[in-house]
């Protein structure tokens, strides 16, 4: 069988079935960590490392108001070192993904010309390929999911597709977990409401933040009405 046929077979039913099962497990893990931002981030990076073809390490970079870099939920020390390099130089694939809201692929750091300062240092740290997805945007926080490999040409079309799907799920989970972690207790949002959030998202084709806001407002209205009726 030729290499092209091998590749086609790899993209066949077996691969798709395994990927679907893995995505379903990721969804369950994200629900389990729904109210914890750090827990959610860790599920995302570990899942990316395990699911995205070619990925050896993963990390999340957040840039908060004032452009302060945060390296979160790294699967090893390497993503942290690459984040430090991004921060020091103010440039690189992660920075481009964050500010330009795009997916950035580096096939080989040793021949990369877009970032003449970043690429040689990243290669010296052991990163040959990198894939960065714009991940998380609010008024105060932006971020990216970054995947690394010690091999050149590690990330192909499957990696971009699977990583993009994971990043899309991650955005909703992050927004929801942040809202839950910071929502005042008086809003009364419980596990029952989290289930309702998913139903609203599916039924009305809205995102996690919109569904969460609807439920929070509904809870506050119900609590107020109950207080008045006493």
């Amino acid at each position: 069988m030729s290499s092209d046929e091998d590749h086609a077979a790899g993209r066949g039913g077996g691969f798709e079935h395994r990927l679907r099962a893995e995505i379903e497990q990721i969804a369950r893990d994200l629900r389990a960590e729904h109210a914890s931002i750090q827990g959610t981030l860790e599920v995302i990076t570990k899942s990316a490392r395990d699911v995205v073809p070619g990925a050896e390490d993963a990390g999340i970079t957040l840039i908060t108001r004032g452009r302060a870099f945060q390296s979160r939920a790294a699967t090893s020390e390497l993503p942290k070192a690459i984040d430090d390099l991004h921060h020091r130089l103010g440039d690189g694939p992660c920075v481009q993904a964050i500010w330009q809201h795009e997916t950035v692929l580096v096939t080989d750091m040793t021949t990369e010309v877009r970032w003449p300062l970043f690429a040689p240092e990243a290669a010296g740290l052991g990163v040959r390929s990198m894939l960065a997805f714009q991940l998380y945007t609010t008024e105060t926080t932006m971020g990216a999911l970054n995947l690394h490999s010690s091999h050149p040409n590690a990330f192909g079309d499957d990696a971009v597709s699977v990583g993009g799907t994971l990043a899309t799920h991650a955005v909703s989970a992050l927004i929801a977990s942040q809202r839950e972690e910071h929502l005042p207790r008086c809003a009364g949002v419980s596990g029952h409401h989290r289930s309702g959030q998913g139903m609203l998202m599916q039924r009305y084709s809205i995102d996690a933040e919109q569904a969460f806001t609807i439920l929070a407002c509904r809870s506050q209205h119900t609590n107020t009405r109950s207080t008045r009726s006493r």
Side-chain angles (χ1 to χ4, degrees), residues 15 18-19 22-23 26 29 40-60 72-80 129 131 133 135 145-151 154-155 158-159 162-167 170:
F15 174 79
R18 179 171 60 85
L19 176 60
E22 288 171 339
I23 291 294
I26 291 168
D29 291 341
T40 299
L41 295 176
E42 291 174 357
V43 169
I44 293 166
T45 54
K46 290 177 182 177
S47 299
R49 179 195 60 193
D50 296 341
V51 172
V52 178
E56 296 175 2
D57 276 303
I60 289 175
R72 304 284 293 273
T75 57
S76 76
E77 292 300 315
L78 180 60
K80 296 179 183 179
S129 300
L131 186 56
F133 299 91
L135 183 62
L145 170 64
N146 304 306
L147 310 179
H148 309 89
S149 174
S150 60
H151 302 285
F155 301 117
D158 283 339
V162 175
T165 298
L166 178 60

Short mmCIF file of all heavy atoms in Angstrom, two decimals, residues 15 18-19 22-23 26 29 40-60 72-80 129 131 133 135 145-151 154-155 158-159 162-167 170:
data_model
loop_
_atom_site.label_atom_id
_atom_site.label_comp_id
_atom_site.label_asym_id
_atom_site.label_seq_id
_atom_site.Cartn_x
_atom_site.Cartn_y
_atom_site.Cartn_z
N PHE A 15 -10.41 5.73 12.31
CA PHE A 15 -9.94 6.99 12.86
C PHE A 15 -11.10 7.86 13.31
O PHE A 15 -11.08 8.43 14.40
CB PHE A 15 -9.12 7.74 11.80
CG PHE A 15 -8.70 9.12 12.22
CD1 PHE A 15 -7.63 9.32 13.08
CD2 PHE A 15 -9.41 10.23 11.76
CE1 PHE A 15 -7.27 10.60 13.45
CE2 PHE A 15 -9.04 11.51 12.14
CZ PHE A 15 -7.97 11.69 12.99
N ARG A 18 -12.71 6.47 16.50
CA ARG A 18 -11.88 6.73 17.68
C ARG A 18 -11.92 8.21 18.07
O ARG A 18 -12.02 8.55 19.24
CB ARG A 18 -10.44 6.32 17.39
CG ARG A 18 -9.48 6.56 18.55
CD ARG A 18 -8.14 5.92 18.28
NE ARG A 18 -7.52 6.44 17.07
CZ ARG A 18 -6.79 7.56 17.06
NH1 ARG A 18 -6.61 8.26 18.17
NH2 ARG A 18 -6.26 7.99 15.94
N LEU A 19 -11.88 9.08 17.06
CA LEU A 19 -11.92 10.51 17.33
C LEU A 19 -13.24 10.90 17.98
O LEU A 19 -13.27 11.67 18.95
CB LEU A 19 -11.72 11.29 16.04
CG LEU A 19 -11.83 12.81 16.15
CD1 LEU A 19 -10.79 13.36 17.12
CD2 LEU A 19 -11.67 13.46 14.78
N GLU A 22 -13.24 9.91 21.54
CA GLU A 22 -12.36 10.75 22.34
C GLU A 22 -12.98 12.13 22.59
O GLU A 22 -12.88 12.68 23.69
CB GLU A 22 -11.01 10.88 21.65
CG GLU A 22 -10.18 9.60 21.70
CD GLU A 22 -8.95 9.65 20.84
OE1 GLU A 22 -8.91 10.47 19.91
OE2 GLU A 22 -8.01 8.87 21.09
N ILE A 23 -13.64 12.67 21.57
CA ILE A 23 -14.30 13.97 21.74
C ILE A 23 -15.43 13.86 22.76
O ILE A 23 -15.62 14.76 23.59
CB ILE A 23 -14.85 14.48 20.39
CG1 ILE A 23 -13.69 14.86 19.45
CG2 ILE A 23 -15.77 15.68 20.60
CD1 ILE A 23 -12.88 16.04 19.92
N ILE A 26 -13.87 13.89 26.12
CA ILE A 26 -13.44 15.25 26.45
C ILE A 26 -14.63 16.07 26.94
O ILE A 26 -14.53 16.81 27.93
CB ILE A 26 -12.81 15.92 25.22
CG1 ILE A 26 -11.46 15.26 24.89
CG2 ILE A 26 -12.59 17.42 25.48
CD1 ILE A 26 -10.92 15.66 23.54
N ASP A 29 -15.35 15.13 30.43
CA ASP A 29 -14.34 15.68 31.34
C ASP A 29 -14.54 17.18 31.56
O ASP A 29 -14.38 17.69 32.67
CB ASP A 29 -12.93 15.44 30.78
CG ASP A 29 -12.55 13.97 30.79
OD1 ASP A 29 -13.20 13.19 31.54
OD2 ASP A 29 -11.62 13.59 30.06
N THR A 40 -10.73 23.18 33.89
CA THR A 40 -11.12 23.19 32.49
C THR A 40 -9.92 23.33 31.58
O THR A 40 -9.78 22.63 30.57
CB THR A 40 -12.12 24.33 32.23
OG1 THR A 40 -13.29 24.14 33.02
CG2 THR A 40 -12.52 24.39 30.76
N LEU A 41 -9.00 24.23 31.94
CA LEU A 41 -7.80 24.42 31.14
C LEU A 41 -6.97 23.15 31.08
O LEU A 41 -6.42 22.79 30.03
CB LEU A 41 -6.96 25.57 31.73
CG LEU A 41 -7.58 26.97 31.69
CD1 LEU A 41 -6.67 27.96 32.40
CD2 LEU A 41 -7.82 27.42 30.26
N GLU A 42 -6.87 22.45 32.20
CA GLU A 42 -6.08 21.22 32.23
C GLU A 42 -6.71 20.12 31.37
O GLU A 42 -5.99 19.37 30.70
CB GLU A 42 -5.91 20.74 33.68
CG GLU A 42 -5.00 21.65 34.49
CD GLU A 42 -4.95 21.28 35.96
OE1 GLU A 42 -5.66 20.33 36.36
OE2 GLU A 42 -4.18 21.92 36.71
N VAL A 43 -8.03 20.03 31.39
CA VAL A 43 -8.70 19.06 30.52
C VAL A 43 -8.39 19.38 29.06
O VAL A 43 -8.10 18.48 28.25
CB VAL A 43 -10.22 19.07 30.75
CG1 VAL A 43 -10.95 18.27 29.66
CG2 VAL A 43 -10.54 18.48 32.12
N ILE A 44 -8.43 20.65 28.70
CA ILE A 44 -8.20 21.06 27.31
C ILE A 44 -6.79 20.70 26.86
O ILE A 44 -6.59 20.09 25.79
CB ILE A 44 -8.44 22.57 27.15
CG1 ILE A 44 -9.92 22.90 27.35
CG2 ILE A 44 -7.97 23.05 25.77
CD1 ILE A 44 -10.20 24.37 27.54
N THR A 45 -5.77 21.04 27.66
CA THR A 45 -4.40 20.79 27.22
C THR A 45 -4.07 19.29 27.19
O THR A 45 -3.42 18.81 26.26
CB THR A 45 -3.39 21.53 28.12
OG1 THR A 45 -3.62 21.19 29.50
CG2 THR A 45 -3.53 23.03 27.95
N LYS A 46 -4.51 18.55 28.20
CA LYS A 46 -4.26 17.11 28.19
C LYS A 46 -4.97 16.43 27.03
O LYS A 46 -4.42 15.53 26.39
CB LYS A 46 -4.70 16.50 29.52
CG LYS A 46 -3.83 16.92 30.70
CD LYS A 46 -4.37 16.35 32.02
CE LYS A 46 -3.52 16.81 33.19
NZ LYS A 46 -4.06 16.34 34.49
N SER A 47 -6.18 16.87 26.74
CA SER A 47 -6.92 16.30 25.63
C SER A 47 -6.24 16.62 24.31
O SER A 47 -6.14 15.76 23.42
CB SER A 47 -8.35 16.83 25.62
OG SER A 47 -9.03 16.47 26.82
N ALA A 48 -5.77 17.86 24.16
CA ALA A 48 -5.09 18.26 22.93
C ALA A 48 -3.84 17.42 22.71
O ALA A 48 -3.57 16.95 21.60
CB ALA A 48 -4.74 19.74 22.99
N ARG A 49 -3.07 17.22 23.76
CA ARG A 49 -1.86 16.40 23.65
C ARG A 49 -2.20 14.97 23.23
O ARG A 49 -1.49 14.37 22.42
CB ARG A 49 -1.13 16.39 24.99
CG ARG A 49 0.15 15.54 25.02
CD ARG A 49 0.57 15.29 26.43
NE ARG A 49 -0.47 14.57 27.19
CZ ARG A 49 -0.47 14.44 28.51
NH1 ARG A 49 0.49 14.98 29.23
NH2 ARG A 49 -1.45 13.76 29.12
N ASP A 50 -3.28 14.43 23.76
CA ASP A 50 -3.63 13.04 23.51
C ASP A 50 -4.39 12.82 22.20
O ASP A 50 -4.30 11.74 21.61
CB ASP A 50 -4.49 12.50 24.67
CG ASP A 50 -3.73 12.46 25.99
OD1 ASP A 50 -2.48 12.50 25.97
OD2 ASP A 50 -4.39 12.41 27.04
N VAL A 51 -5.14 13.83 21.75
CA VAL A 51 -6.05 13.65 20.63
C VAL A 51 -5.51 14.19 19.31
O VAL A 51 -5.69 13.59 18.26
CB VAL A 51 -7.42 14.30 20.93
CG1 VAL A 51 -8.32 14.29 19.71
CG2 VAL A 51 -8.10 13.59 22.09
N VAL A 52 -4.84 15.34 19.35
CA VAL A 52 -4.40 15.98 18.10
C VAL A 52 -3.21 15.22 17.53
O VAL A 52 -2.18 15.07 18.20
CB VAL A 52 -4.02 17.45 18.35
CG1 VAL A 52 -3.52 18.07 17.04
CG2 VAL A 52 -5.23 18.23 18.87
N PRO A 53 -3.30 14.72 16.31
CA PRO A 53 -2.20 13.98 15.71
C PRO A 53 -0.91 14.81 15.64
O PRO A 53 -0.93 15.94 15.18
CB PRO A 53 -2.71 13.67 14.29
CG PRO A 53 -4.20 13.71 14.41
CD PRO A 53 -4.48 14.77 15.42
N GLY A 54 0.17 14.24 16.14
CA GLY A 54 1.47 14.91 16.10
C GLY A 54 1.82 15.69 17.34
O GLY A 54 2.99 16.04 17.54
N ALA A 55 0.86 15.98 18.20
CA ALA A 55 1.12 16.80 19.38
C ALA A 55 1.88 16.00 20.44
O ALA A 55 1.50 14.89 20.78
CB ALA A 55 -0.18 17.33 19.96
N GLU A 56 2.94 16.60 20.98
CA GLU A 56 3.68 16.00 22.07
C GLU A 56 3.47 16.76 23.38
O GLU A 56 3.53 16.19 24.46
CB GLU A 56 5.18 15.98 21.75
CG GLU A 56 5.52 15.10 20.55
CD GLU A 56 6.98 15.19 20.17
OE1 GLU A 56 7.75 15.92 20.86
OE2 GLU A 56 7.38 14.55 19.18
N ASP A 57 3.23 18.07 23.27
CA ASP A 57 2.96 18.91 24.44
C ASP A 57 1.94 19.96 24.07
O ASP A 57 1.77 20.30 22.89
CB ASP A 57 4.24 19.59 24.93
CG ASP A 57 5.05 18.71 25.86
OD1 ASP A 57 4.50 18.28 26.89
OD2 ASP A 57 6.22 18.44 25.55
N ALA A 58 1.27 20.49 25.09
CA ALA A 58 0.27 21.53 24.87
C ALA A 58 0.26 22.48 26.05
O ALA A 58 0.61 22.11 27.18
CB ALA A 58 -1.12 20.92 24.67
N GLY A 59 -0.14 23.69 25.78
CA GLY A 59 -0.28 24.69 26.83
C GLY A 59 -1.24 25.77 26.38
O GLY A 59 -1.56 25.88 25.19
N ILE A 60 -1.70 26.55 27.33
CA ILE A 60 -2.59 27.66 27.03
C ILE A 60 -1.94 28.95 27.50
O ILE A 60 -1.43 29.03 28.62
CB ILE A 60 -3.96 27.48 27.72
CG1 ILE A 60 -4.74 26.36 27.02
CG2 ILE A 60 -4.78 28.77 27.71
CD1 ILE A 60 -6.05 26.00 27.68
N ARG A 72 -0.66 28.70 31.33
CA ARG A 72 -1.59 27.92 32.15
C ARG A 72 -1.68 26.48 31.63
O ARG A 72 -1.69 26.22 30.43
CB ARG A 72 -2.99 28.55 32.12
CG ARG A 72 -3.05 30.01 32.56
CD ARG A 72 -2.94 30.15 34.06
NE ARG A 72 -4.09 29.59 34.73
CZ ARG A 72 -5.23 30.27 34.97
NH1 ARG A 72 -5.34 31.53 34.58
NH2 ARG A 72 -6.24 29.70 35.60
N ALA A 73 -1.79 25.56 32.59
CA ALA A 73 -2.12 24.15 32.32
C ALA A 73 -1.18 23.49 31.33
O ALA A 73 -1.59 22.64 30.53
CB ALA A 73 -3.57 24.04 31.83
N ALA A 74 0.11 23.83 31.36
CA ALA A 74 1.08 23.22 30.45
C ALA A 74 1.26 21.75 30.79
O ALA A 74 1.28 21.36 31.95
CB ALA A 74 2.42 23.96 30.55
N THR A 75 1.42 20.92 29.76
CA THR A 75 1.59 19.49 29.97
C THR A 75 3.03 19.12 30.32
O THR A 75 3.30 17.98 30.67
CB THR A 75 1.15 18.70 28.73
OG1 THR A 75 1.90 19.15 27.59
CG2 THR A 75 -0.34 18.89 28.47
N SER A 76 3.95 20.08 30.21
CA SER A 76 5.34 19.89 30.64
C SER A 76 5.96 21.27 30.82
O SER A 76 5.27 22.30 30.66
CB SER A 76 6.14 19.07 29.62
OG SER A 76 6.47 19.87 28.50
N GLU A 77 7.23 21.33 31.11
CA GLU A 77 7.91 22.61 31.26
C GLU A 77 8.14 23.29 29.92
O GLU A 77 8.36 24.50 29.87
CB GLU A 77 9.25 22.41 31.99
CG GLU A 77 9.10 22.00 33.45
CD GLU A 77 8.32 23.02 34.26
OE1 GLU A 77 8.60 24.23 34.12
OE2 GLU A 77 7.43 22.62 35.02
N LEU A 78 8.10 22.53 28.83
CA LEU A 78 8.41 23.11 27.52
C LEU A 78 7.43 24.21 27.10
O LEU A 78 7.86 25.29 26.69
CB LEU A 78 8.45 22.01 26.47
CG LEU A 78 8.76 22.48 25.04
CD1 LEU A 78 10.12 23.17 24.98
CD2 LEU A 78 8.70 21.30 24.07
N PRO A 79 6.09 23.98 27.17
CA PRO A 79 5.19 25.07 26.80
C PRO A 79 5.40 26.33 27.64
O PRO A 79 5.24 27.45 27.12
CB PRO A 79 3.79 24.47 27.05
CG PRO A 79 3.99 23.00 26.87
CD PRO A 79 5.34 22.73 27.45
N LYS A 80 5.77 26.18 28.90
CA LYS A 80 6.04 27.35 29.73
C LYS A 80 7.25 28.11 29.20
O LYS A 80 7.26 29.34 29.16
CB LYS A 80 6.28 26.92 31.18
CG LYS A 80 5.08 26.29 31.86
CD LYS A 80 5.43 25.88 33.29
CE LYS A 80 4.27 25.18 33.97
NZ LYS A 80 4.62 24.75 35.35
N SER A 129 8.02 21.86 15.36
CA SER A 129 6.72 22.21 14.79
C SER A 129 5.83 22.80 15.88
O SER A 129 5.94 22.43 17.05
CB SER A 129 6.02 20.98 14.21
OG SER A 129 6.77 20.38 13.18
N LEU A 131 1.65 24.53 16.48
CA LEU A 131 0.31 24.82 15.99
C LEU A 131 -0.42 25.61 17.06
O LEU A 131 -0.54 25.16 18.19
CB LEU A 131 -0.43 23.52 15.68
CG LEU A 131 -1.81 23.57 15.02
CD1 LEU A 131 -1.76 24.35 13.71
CD2 LEU A 131 -2.32 22.16 14.78
N PHE A 133 -3.89 27.94 18.13
CA PHE A 133 -5.29 28.27 17.85
C PHE A 133 -5.71 29.43 18.74
O PHE A 133 -5.55 29.36 19.96
CB PHE A 133 -6.20 27.08 18.13
CG PHE A 133 -5.93 25.87 17.31
CD1 PHE A 133 -5.05 24.89 17.76
CD2 PHE A 133 -6.54 25.69 16.07
CE1 PHE A 133 -4.80 23.76 17.00
CE2 PHE A 133 -6.30 24.57 15.31
CZ PHE A 133 -5.41 23.60 15.77
N LEU A 135 -8.03 31.10 21.04
CA LEU A 135 -8.86 30.28 21.90
C LEU A 135 -9.94 31.03 22.66
O LEU A 135 -11.06 30.58 22.77
CB LEU A 135 -7.96 29.55 22.91
CG LEU A 135 -8.65 28.56 23.86
CD1 LEU A 135 -9.30 27.44 23.10
CD2 LEU A 135 -7.66 28.01 24.88
N LEU A 145 -4.47 28.25 22.36
CA LEU A 145 -4.08 26.88 22.65
C LEU A 145 -2.89 26.57 21.75
O LEU A 145 -2.99 26.67 20.52
CB LEU A 145 -5.24 25.93 22.34
CG LEU A 145 -4.93 24.43 22.36
CD1 LEU A 145 -4.52 23.97 23.76
CD2 LEU A 145 -6.13 23.63 21.86
N ASN A 146 -1.75 26.20 22.36
CA ASN A 146 -0.52 25.98 21.62
C ASN A 146 -0.08 24.52 21.70
O ASN A 146 -0.02 23.95 22.79
CB ASN A 146 0.59 26.87 22.19
CG ASN A 146 0.21 28.33 22.20
OD1 ASN A 146 -0.17 28.88 21.18
ND2 ASN A 146 0.29 28.96 23.36
N LEU A 147 0.20 23.93 20.55
CA LEU A 147 0.65 22.55 20.46
C LEU A 147 2.08 22.52 19.95
O LEU A 147 2.44 23.28 19.04
CB LEU A 147 -0.26 21.75 19.54
CG LEU A 147 -1.77 21.87 19.80
CD1 LEU A 147 -2.55 21.04 18.80
CD2 LEU A 147 -2.11 21.46 21.22
N HIS A 148 2.89 21.61 20.51
CA HIS A 148 4.31 21.55 20.17
C HIS A 148 4.73 20.14 19.80
O HIS A 148 4.19 19.16 20.34
CB HIS A 148 5.16 22.04 21.33
CG HIS A 148 4.75 23.36 21.89
ND1 HIS A 148 3.81 23.48 22.90
CD2 HIS A 148 5.12 24.63 21.58
CE1 HIS A 148 3.64 24.76 23.19
NE2 HIS A 148 4.42 25.48 22.40
N SER A 149 5.73 20.06 18.95
CA SER A 149 6.33 18.78 18.60
C SER A 149 7.83 18.96 18.40
O SER A 149 8.28 20.03 17.93
CB SER A 149 5.72 18.20 17.32
OG SER A 149 6.41 17.03 16.92
N SER A 150 8.59 17.95 18.73
CA SER A 150 10.03 17.98 18.53
C SER A 150 10.42 17.56 17.12
O SER A 150 11.61 17.54 16.78
CB SER A 150 10.72 17.05 19.54
OG SER A 150 10.27 15.71 19.39
N HIS A 151 9.43 17.24 16.29
CA HIS A 151 9.69 16.80 14.92
C HIS A 151 9.20 17.83 13.90
O HIS A 151 8.17 18.47 14.12
CB HIS A 151 8.98 15.47 14.64
CG HIS A 151 9.37 14.38 15.58
ND1 HIS A 151 10.58 13.72 15.50
CD2 HIS A 151 8.73 13.83 16.64
CE1 HIS A 151 10.67 12.82 16.45
NE2 HIS A 151 9.55 12.86 17.16
N ALA A 154 5.17 18.00 11.79
CA ALA A 154 4.41 17.09 12.67
C ALA A 154 2.91 17.26 12.51
O ALA A 154 2.16 16.31 12.78
CB ALA A 154 4.81 17.32 14.13
N PHE A 155 2.45 18.44 12.10
CA PHE A 155 1.02 18.72 12.09
C PHE A 155 0.50 18.84 10.66
O PHE A 155 0.91 19.73 9.91
CB PHE A 155 0.73 20.01 12.85
CG PHE A 155 1.18 19.98 14.28
CD1 PHE A 155 2.15 20.86 14.74
CD2 PHE A 155 0.64 19.07 15.18
CE1 PHE A 155 2.57 20.83 16.06
CE2 PHE A 155 1.05 19.03 16.50
CZ PHE A 155 2.03 19.91 16.94
N ASP A 158 -5.22 16.79 9.47
CA ASP A 158 -5.98 16.20 10.57
C ASP A 158 -5.75 16.98 11.86
O ASP A 158 -6.69 17.21 12.63
CB ASP A 158 -5.58 14.73 10.78
CG ASP A 158 -6.20 13.81 9.74
OD1 ASP A 158 -7.20 14.21 9.12
OD2 ASP A 158 -5.66 12.71 9.53
N ALA A 159 -4.51 17.36 12.11
CA ALA A 159 -4.19 18.09 13.34
C ALA A 159 -4.89 19.43 13.38
O ALA A 159 -5.44 19.84 14.41
CB ALA A 159 -2.67 18.28 13.45
N VAL A 162 -8.78 18.60 13.87
CA VAL A 162 -9.10 18.12 15.22
C VAL A 162 -8.82 19.20 16.25
O VAL A 162 -9.62 19.44 17.17
CB VAL A 162 -8.31 16.85 15.54
CG1 VAL A 162 -8.54 16.42 16.99
CG2 VAL A 162 -8.70 15.72 14.60
N GLY A 163 -7.69 19.87 16.12
CA GLY A 163 -7.36 20.94 17.07
C GLY A 163 -8.36 22.08 17.02
O GLY A 163 -8.73 22.64 18.05
N GLY A 164 -8.82 22.42 15.81
CA GLY A 164 -9.82 23.48 15.69
C GLY A 164 -11.13 23.10 16.34
O GLY A 164 -11.79 23.94 16.98
N THR A 165 -11.53 21.84 16.19
CA THR A 165 -12.76 21.36 16.83
C THR A 165 -12.63 21.43 18.35
O THR A 165 -13.54 21.89 19.05
CB THR A 165 -13.06 19.91 16.41
OG1 THR A 165 -13.26 19.87 14.99
CG2 THR A 165 -14.30 19.39 17.10
N LEU A 166 -11.49 20.99 18.85
CA LEU A 166 -11.26 21.03 20.29
C LEU A 166 -11.25 22.47 20.80
O LEU A 166 -11.83 22.77 21.86
CB LEU A 166 -9.93 20.35 20.63
CG LEU A 166 -9.51 20.35 22.09
CD1 LEU A 166 -10.54 19.64 22.96
CD2 LEU A 166 -8.15 19.67 22.25
N ALA A 167 -10.62 23.36 20.07
CA ALA A 167 -10.57 24.77 20.48
C ALA A 167 -11.96 25.38 20.53
O ALA A 167 -12.28 26.17 21.43
CB ALA A 167 -9.67 25.56 19.53
N ALA A 170 -13.58 24.20 23.58
CA ALA A 170 -12.89 24.78 24.73
C ALA A 170 -13.36 26.20 25.02
O ALA A 170 -13.48 26.60 26.18
CB ALA A 170 -11.39 24.77 24.49
#
